[in-house]
Amino acid sequence: MAKDYSAWVASSPYVVGSFACIGGGLFGLDISSMAGVITNPSYIEYFHNPNSNAQGAIVASMPAGSLLGALSVTILADKLGRKKTVILSGIVWVIGAILQAASQNRGMLVVGRIIAGISIGIASAVVPMYQAEITAPAIRGRLVSLQQWSITWGILLQFFVQFGCSYIDGIASIRIPWALQTIPAIILSIGMMWFPESPRWLMDKGHDERALEILADVHGKGDPNDALVQLEYNEIKGQIDFEKQYGAKRWGELLEGSVFRRVVLGVSLQMWSQLTGMNVMMYYITIVFEGAGLTGRRGNLIASSVQYVLNVALTIPAIIYIDKWGRRPMLLIGLAMMAFWLFLVGGLQGAYGHWAEIGGARAWAVDSGNGNVTRAIIVSSYLFVCSFAITMGPVSWTYPSEIFPMRVRAKAISLSTASNWVFNFALAYAVPPGLASISFNVYFIFATCNVLAFFHVLLMYPETKGRTLEEVEEIFAVGHTFTAWKIGKDVGMRNPADFTGHTKKRTGSVHSSQNEKVEATHREVS
């Protein structure tokens, strides 16, 4: 049977593992599509000067749709497959972007953002799942981390498009950037037609031969007898056979045994990623800098763009080294640093700010003449963003994608991602009135959340780097629910010598160089 994908694409690990990340870029586009216009005079006039509650509702409509989209993946990813679900997310996004660009009133804008949000919710759940299931364990963290990098690129590119269009007079200054958002989604949906389906999903549906063919193209340059190919194939096959014999794909399973423990970890990590306060800095950075005493709309936009550039740049080291550093150290260091910078921002705002009128609205602000404090707040905000970009940002997508067993993976990842959107929605809606009422105390709340998250990770999150998705099962089988640091680095690691004999029984002789490849795969990340 002819292949329904390009073998060249499948044989390029960084291509096959990264292209779907355009779905993450859609999330980034949406974030700055609002951040760049909420102080635009044309936007304010056309949509009748939305107050803090109305603006919060407009921004929050996207994560509300994303919640629906993420939950729909529990059905779509299992029924349609991972590949077709990614394609669907791009189609839905185009519809939402067109509605936003053509919006005649707040209601139409909100509907467009909800539909676009459904697309983002689908993509945010299925893309890391697809990446985790199709990439080799030695580079899985690196490639899933590209999801976060694509988000940062989406934020950056759309923000500069917004900035450039701000020089256009009239409503076209916001319609053009919103319309241009359709381009990456079209590329995503068309491009995914040349990509392979997840071999784990195919084997779960009984298409073992197609799955082996894809594994051979992805990991073995077309050779089904390659050692790494056989390791992956036999582990996936054994795990799926076991689950079909002893498990059932039902929602109740998410509440049982070690699966429930993992659901708590996945849901909590996505929750903490929002409660760090990062997306507040993304959605409302122009408002934050106004409160810091930075005056002038274009000067504010330029200062805001610096943090978007830093967000992109500082995600790169995380992508390169996540499979060396490990998930736990990155989370712990990042949470501690973010807490520090937020406490500092809140302290400076509280000590040197006062209630004032900004743009006709009551807000807490530092006097524009107090330049040193303004600069200190802006720099601290930049360092907060850098701390998130190099730690929590990539890990928050990687970790949930690799800890769940195949039989509940779609449901569990969707539920984890849904928690991200629940808190994204709540914060997007609540932060504008929060800043208008409790002012600098908002920063103390988020700083405290980072402290709580630090201790949660310290006690309960085991390390997962370097294991195949099937080997991760053994990490959670050893227990240590509240003493995660006690789980050894070698737990779950396969011995290539034991694997050699197992492979010979199934596939015949395997060359020693292939065994060395498997050993190198683990050694690279140990």
Side-chain angles (χ1 to χ4, degrees), residues 106-126:
R106 291 183 193 174
M108 189 172 176
L109 176 60
V110 167
V111 170
R113 286 182 59 76
I114 290 174
I115 293 174
I118 291 173
S119 165
I120 296 170
I122 293 172
S124 64
V126 76

Side-chain angles (χ1 to χ4, degrees), residues 56-211:
I58 292 171
V59 174
S61 59
M62 185 278 292
S66 299
L67 173 61
L68 298 176
L71 291 175
S72 72
V73 172
T74 62
I75 299 174
L76 294 174
D78 279 339
K79 297 294 184 182
L80 299 180
R82 295 13 174 177
K83 173 182 172 178
K84 290 180 180 178
T85 304
V86 174
I87 293 173
L88 177 63
S89 71
I91 296 171
V92 175
W93 173 267
V94 170
I95 297 171
I98 290 173
L99 287 174
Q100 290 178 77
S103 58
Q104 301 298 305
N105 50 52
R106 291 183 193 174
M108 189 172 176
L109 176 60
V110 167
V111 170
R113 286 182 59 76
I114 290 174
I115 293 174
I118 291 173
S119 165
I120 296 170
I122 293 172
S124 64
V126 76
V127 169
M129 188 189 314
Y130 175 79
Q131 292 174 300
E133 291 182 353
I134 206 165
T135 55
I139 59 173
R140 184 178 63 242
R142 190 176 305 162
L143 290 179
V144 178
S145 296
L146 289 174
Q147 167 83 347
Q148 176 64 23
W149 201 41
S150 68
I151 293 173
T152 67
W153 270 110
I155 295 170
L156 178 66
L157 293 175
Q158 179 69 342
F159 191 85
F160 278 120
V161 170
Q162 296 275 9
F163 179 75
C165 289
S166 71
Y167 289 90
I168 300 173
D169 292 330
I171 195 64
S173 64
I174 61 175
R175 293 200 191 280
I176 292 173
W178 288 347
L180 291 175
Q181 293 180 118
T182 60
I183 296 174
I186 293 170
I187 294 173
L188 173 65
S189 292
I190 294 176
M192 280 301 296
M193 295 178 183
W194 281 270
F195 282 70
E197 179 56 87
S198 161
R200 285 172 170 84
W201 181 82
L202 288 171
M203 291 177 71
D204 190 48
K205 300 300 180 181
H207 304 297
D208 291 10
E209 291 184 5
R210 288 181 61 198

Side-chain angles (χ1 to χ4, degrees), residues 271-287:
M271 173 193 74
W272 290 128
S273 74
Q274 290 299 317
L275 292 178
T276 60
M278 177 60 172
N279 273 347
V280 174
M281 292 294 188
M282 296 292 105
Y283 283 130
Y284 300 115
I285 186 58
T286 54
I287 296 176

